[in-house]
Amino acid sequence: EAGVAQSPRYKIIEKRQSVAFWCNPISGHATLYWYQQILGQGPKLLIQFQNNGVVDDSQLPKDRFSAERLKGVDSTLKIQPAKLEDSAVYLCASNGPRGRDTEAFFGQGTRLTVV
Amino acid sequence: GENVEQHPSTLSVQEGDSAVIKCTYSDSASNYFPWYKQELGKGPQLIIDIRSNVGEKKDQRIAVTLNKTAKHFSLHITETQPEDSAVYFCAASITVLGKLIFGQGTELSVKP
């Protein structure tokens, strides 16, 4: 079974530029998450989707971050404009085939450096 | 707000020794407690989880205990091996399909 795919693996941008990350969850997983992991800390949820609807975006800095999940499959997370403090690893995770509770599977993440 | 405290932040053991990592959570509605292992440059990988209707769960060298009254849960690794070296995260959630609140992580180093 293929895992959660993320791209790119690494990205370096200057502050005030924009950047986008892409995630393809495990096939059949209805729930998709984006987490932000700052160096030396545990991941923190940014946004959770159930199919193509938003379940929780309470910790998403909506003035600069946006996310969408078209057709309830792939998802993109965008930052515009980026700040130095956005430097982190952005992790995508998925779980929940319909009718089953399963643990969350994480992708390898995208490491963002804002200079 | 929701919070998970994890201790210790670093742990160094000799190969073959046991390692214990402890977590405390604040949200009494939490019912699902997974543990993730994260190796350098990789995403977190689930190693074991426990639900609130169970007090203890074991899988080979790994065990997790849960005390819902005290809001504590712990990870126990026995007969540690160098390949156990990684950062371990505890987490808490209301449901398996809910957001995970992670602890700060424990960097485990197993010396041969």
Side-chain angles (χ1 to χ4, degrees), chain B residues 29-45:
Chain B
S30 298
N31 284 305
Y32 176 63
F33 307 91
W35 286 87
Y36 283 86
K37 176 182 181 182
Q38 187 172 30
E39 297 175 323
L40 199 62
K42 296 185 178 180
Q45 183 177 16

Side-chain angles (χ1 to χ4, degrees), chain B:
Chain B
E2 306 148 323
N3 188 47
V4 174
E5 294 288 335
Q6 182 173 346
H7 299 281
S9 57
T10 61
L11 180 58
S12 182
V13 300
Q14 288 295 133
E15 183 176 0
D17 287 351
S18 296
V20 179
I21 303 171
K22 298 183 178 183
C23 290
T24 303
Y25 61 97
S26 62
D27 188 351
S28 56
S30 298
N31 284 305
Y32 176 63
F33 307 91
W35 286 87
Y36 283 86
K37 176 182 181 182
Q38 187 172 30
E39 297 175 323
L40 199 62
K42 296 185 178 180
Q45 183 177 16
L46 183 81
I47 56 171
I48 194 168
D49 58 11
I50 191 168
R51 306 196 187 197
S52 61
N53 57 345
V54 175
E56 185 173 356
K57 184 177 178 180
K58 189 172 182 180
D59 182 5
Q60 299 182 347
R61 298 186 295 110
I62 296 173
V64 59
T65 59
L66 171 65
N67 182 331
K68 279 219 76 176
T69 302
K71 298 183 188 174
H72 290 168
F73 58 115
S74 301
L75 177 72
H76 304 252
I77 305 174
T78 58
E79 302 172 23
T80 54
Q81 301 166 4
E83 51 266 39
D84 293 329
S85 297
V87 179
Y88 291 80
F89 290 96
C90 63
S93 179
I94 295 175
T95 70
V96 177
L97 297 180
K99 74 176 179 183
L100 295 170
I101 307 298
F102 282 87
Q104 300 92 324
T106 296
E107 184 174 4
L108 174 65
S109 175
V110 181
K111 300 183 186 305

